[in-house]
Amino acid sequence: MAWKTLDEMDLAGKVVLVRVDINVPVENGVVTDATRIEKIVPTISDILAKGGKPVLLAHFGRPKGKVVPEMSLKPLVPALEKALGVKVAFAPDCIGAPAKKAVAALAEGEVLLLENTRFHEGEEKNDAELAAAMAALGEVYVNDAFSAAHRAHSSTAAIAQILPSAAGRLMEAELKALEAALGNPARPVTAVVGGAKVSTKLDLLGNLVSKVDHLVIGGGMANTFLVAQGIDVGKSLAEHDMADTAREILAKAKAAGCAIHLPVDVVVAREFKAGAENEVVPADACPADAMILDAGPEAVAQIAKVFEASKTLIWNGPLGAFEIAPFDAATNAAAAKAAELTRAGALISVAGGGDTVAALNKAGAAADFSYISTAGGAFLEWMEGKELPGVAALMH
Ligand code: ADP
Ligand code: MG
């Protein structure tokens, strides 16, 4: 890996510009979920311990290049002070005289938060002039915002070309976990891809079939693959116009030696609601008036066997309509199996995606996974095999 970590940087007495993702939910000026703030603590603490002066660059909301007072980062100062345990100063702009003055006044052991980078039009255009104005404030650049790394912005990409740069601890952990899962994984590698639709995950499926040994397809998207094989799925969620695409993915998998696992049995119901009357049928026997809402017990047993034969697992997308019981059963059982194998040291397990993280939390399995990515879009783009500008910019 060609990016540097904090360990390789001399930070003593230096002003360190740190790009963080603290785009937290705020209600009436109060932070309601500080998870993202807590995640940057190791990076800031390490910079302080090395004698550096952390100056935080961050975005908040979508002000679209204009100053929108409701999207000021200032209300986050108390939550930052609480999480970091040090004084946090604030500058009303991320460049220019106000920022320079605040940096000059910053004492050792303190942190400075600069105003929303997206108040400047250049930010989302990866403008070099804006990047230079930000870079002029410090001596070193650290990017700890993996979740913003899929965007080429001045504070995530251009600035890294100007200053000596490194990955923060959160970025480092994320990149190492992803590298272990797809970059240079222990084989066999299994990917689970579920969720609602094939159409939102085409690039992801296309990339995975050439990289993994087993691909388990679940959720609504499995229905589309069943349709592609000429199977009638009744009233199930399925993208009938994607059947050709699904067949292409199956052919690509075959050519690459990737084994595809579709559910052999399914749970069907007539209503999409919690506790709806349901039955287990073979995957090719969905009644015309019913819909498939989960994978069946035989499918779950097969998935468990695939997991047992794997050394690495990467998971995006639930296996069924996990929000409504009992259609969370297959997702819960597969998650429990992955958790058990990971605990036993037999499996490296990495998962990401908004609903996936929610489903694994609901299953009580998230804590046992090797790594859970909360990076959302950046995680998915990485699974699609795309280069992330914020990561590429750190390569030296
Ligand atoms: P992620 O956010 O982790 O990338 P997705 O958004 O792709 O995941 O998919 C999650 C959604 O897929 C959930 O809302 C879930 O209810 C839905 N889903 C899964 N299986 C089915 C199914 N058989 N029928 C209808 N919806 C399903
Ligand atoms: Mg989703």
Side-chain angles (χ1 to χ4, degrees):
M1 274 172 263
W3 37 270
K4 291 196 173 78
T5 69
L6 291 179
D7 300 317
E8 293 151 85
M9 307 301 280
D10 174 19
L11 303 179
K14 290 186 180 160
V15 173
V16 183
L17 294 164
V18 195
R19 178 58 160 97
V20 290
D21 182 358
I22 48 174
N23 198 13
V24 292
V26 173
E27 270 168 43
N28 302 323
V30 179
V31 175
T32 53
D33 178 0
T35 309
R36 279 184 161 158
I37 289 177
E38 280 147 21
K39 285 191 177 235
I40 65 163
V41 172
T43 298
I44 310 305
S45 299
D46 281 4
I47 293 170
L48 288 170
K50 288 177 131 239
K53 295 178 175 179
V55 174
L56 311 186
L57 289 164
H59 73 277
F60 191 64
R62 294 174 189 273
K64 305 223 163 97
K66 290 191 183 70
V67 176
V68 179
E70 296 74 43
M71 293 179 194
S72 170
L73 279 166
K74 198 172 182 197
L76 269 58
V77 168
L80 277 166
E81 289 190 324
K82 187 166 170 240
L84 295 167
V86 299
K87 188 183 162 215
V88 177
F90 180 77
D93 198 348
C94 68
I95 54 168
K100 276 186 191 147
K101 205 175 133 201
V103 170
L106 190 62
E108 212 171 292
E110 291 178 4
V111 173
L112 171 65
L113 173 64
L114 303 177
E115 184 57 287
N116 198 341
T117 53
R118 290 192 188 165
F119 281 0
H120 290 275
E121 215 190 337
E123 167 71 333
E124 298 191 49
K125 296 182 174 147
N126 200 17
D127 179 61
E129 238 173 81
L130 176 63
M134 292 190 284
L137 299 169
E139 293 149 280
V140 176
Y141 171 73
V142 170
N143 190 347
D144 210 24
F146 178 81
S147 48
H150 56 316
R151 305 213 161 97
H153 291 175
S154 291
S155 69
T156 62
I159 188 172
Q161 312 296 336
I162 306 170
L163 292 174
S165 47
R169 297 301 187 202
L170 182 57
M171 173 77 90
E172 184 186 341
E174 187 100 25
L175 292 176
K176 281 186 176 157
L178 301 188
E179 176 69 15
L182 267 195
N184 188 19
R187 288 187 183 272
V189 187
T190 293
V192 173
V193 180
K197 292 177 170 180
V198 174
S199 53
T200 59
K201 297 193 175 168
L202 270 183
D203 291 345
L204 195 146
L205 289 164
N207 182 44
L208 287 177
V209 292
S210 64
K211 292 205 171 135
V212 304
D213 305 296
H214 296 274
L215 177 61
V216 173
I217 300 177
M221 82 160 64
N223 302 341
T224 302
F225 279 88
L226 293 175
V227 167
Q229 295 178 327
I231 293 170
D232 188 349
V233 295
K235 294 214 160 99
S236 304
L237 170 72
E239 293 168 285
H240 294 268
D241 56 340
M242 295 298 285
D244 281 341
T245 308
R247 278 189 287 269
E248 277 164 31
I249 291 167
L250 292 174
K252 195 177 169 193
K254 198 169 179 201
C258 167
I260 300 270
H261 304 270
L262 284 164
V264 287
D265 60 349
V266 291
V267 181
V268 300
R270 267 96 188 158
E271 288 173 289
F272 190 90
K273 69 166 202 210
E277 201 179 308
N278 63 85
E279 59 187 307
V280 176
V281 298
D284 61 359
C286 177
D289 63 343
M291 58 196 150
I292 300 170
L293 290 180
D294 200 11
E298 187 56 38
V300 170
Q302 286 188 358
I303 292 170
K305 281 214 185 83
V306 174
F307 286 6
E308 274 166 8
S310 303
K311 291 215 166 70
T312 305
L313 169 68
I314 175 150
W315 186 336
N316 169 258
L319 296 176
F322 77 99
E323 298 97 334
I324 49 171
F327 308 107
D328 55 350
T331 302
N332 289 345
K337 187 72 197 175
E340 175 198 319
L341 291 167
T342 308
R343 268 200 312 272
L347 188 70
I348 292 168
S349 51
V350 175
D355 291 292
T356 308
V357 176
L360 296 181
N361 277 324
K362 194 164 168 268
D368 282 321
F369 269 62
S370 311
Y371 195 79
I372 299 276
S373 174
T374 51
F379 175 83
L380 290 174
E381 287 200 22
W382 169 82
M383 259 184 106
E384 289 166 2
K386 291 189 180 138
E387 182 183 77
L388 306 181
V391 177
L394 292 178
M395 302 291 183
H396 293 286

